[in-house]
Amino acid sequence: MINDITTRGLDAVNAYGLTQKAMQASANTQDADGGTQSSDVVSGFSDALQNALKGAITQGKTAEAQTAAGLSGQGNMTDIATSVEEAKLTLQTVTTIRDRIVQAYQDVMRMSI
């Protein structure tokens, strides 16, 4: 049986890979002069975050579809358990990222000018 730490590590590797692909796609669409502007960096981060959220939503929908198939007597129990566990880990990852973003915002707001 795969333990929780191993699956979290695999999820992190997949998330990093998706982010890297999004950043490379953003870099390929830069201006011909090759310069990186701050708006390019922000839009690249925004695109990466949006793609990650879309992936999380897709993962949740897949788990729901697998669960519905299981409740109707169809589907493989291994596939159902795997998809539900992946959705759980994705939700935990999204929650952790949200918490860190909120914490970073609060840290910035506490800074004295």
Side-chain angles (χ1 to χ4, degrees):
M1 177 175 265
I2 297 176
N3 63 20
D4 196 34
I5 294 172
T6 303
T7 55
R8 285 185 184 178
L10 292 174
D11 286 339
V13 169
N14 289 334
Y16 290 134
L18 290 173
T19 303
Q20 184 178 15
K21 286 179 186 177
M23 294 302 285
Q24 287 175 347
S26 175
N28 290 338
T29 59
Q30 284 183 358
D31 297 332
D33 65 333
T36 302
Q37 299 173 350
S38 62
S39 63
D40 291 339
V41 173
V42 172
S43 72
F45 176 75
S46 174
D47 291 342
L49 188 59
Q50 186 176 14
N51 289 339
L53 287 175
K54 284 181 182 178
I57 291 169
T58 302
Q59 185 66 41
K61 288 180 180 180
T62 301
E64 287 178 9
Q66 290 284 344
T67 303
L71 290 174
S72 67
Q74 302 170 352
N76 183 355
M77 287 304 290
T78 304
D79 293 337
I80 295 168
T82 302
S83 65
V84 169
E85 187 64 25
E86 287 175 355
K88 174 185 149 191
L89 291 173
T90 301
L91 181 60
Q92 288 175 347
T93 302
V94 169
T95 303
T96 301
I97 292 170
R98 183 211 54 201
D99 292 345
R100 289 189 182 193
I101 289 172
V102 169
Q103 183 64 41
Y105 174 78
Q106 290 173 344
D107 290 344
V108 168
M109 294 307 291
R110 276 190 234 125
M111 288 182 184
S112 61
I113 298 176

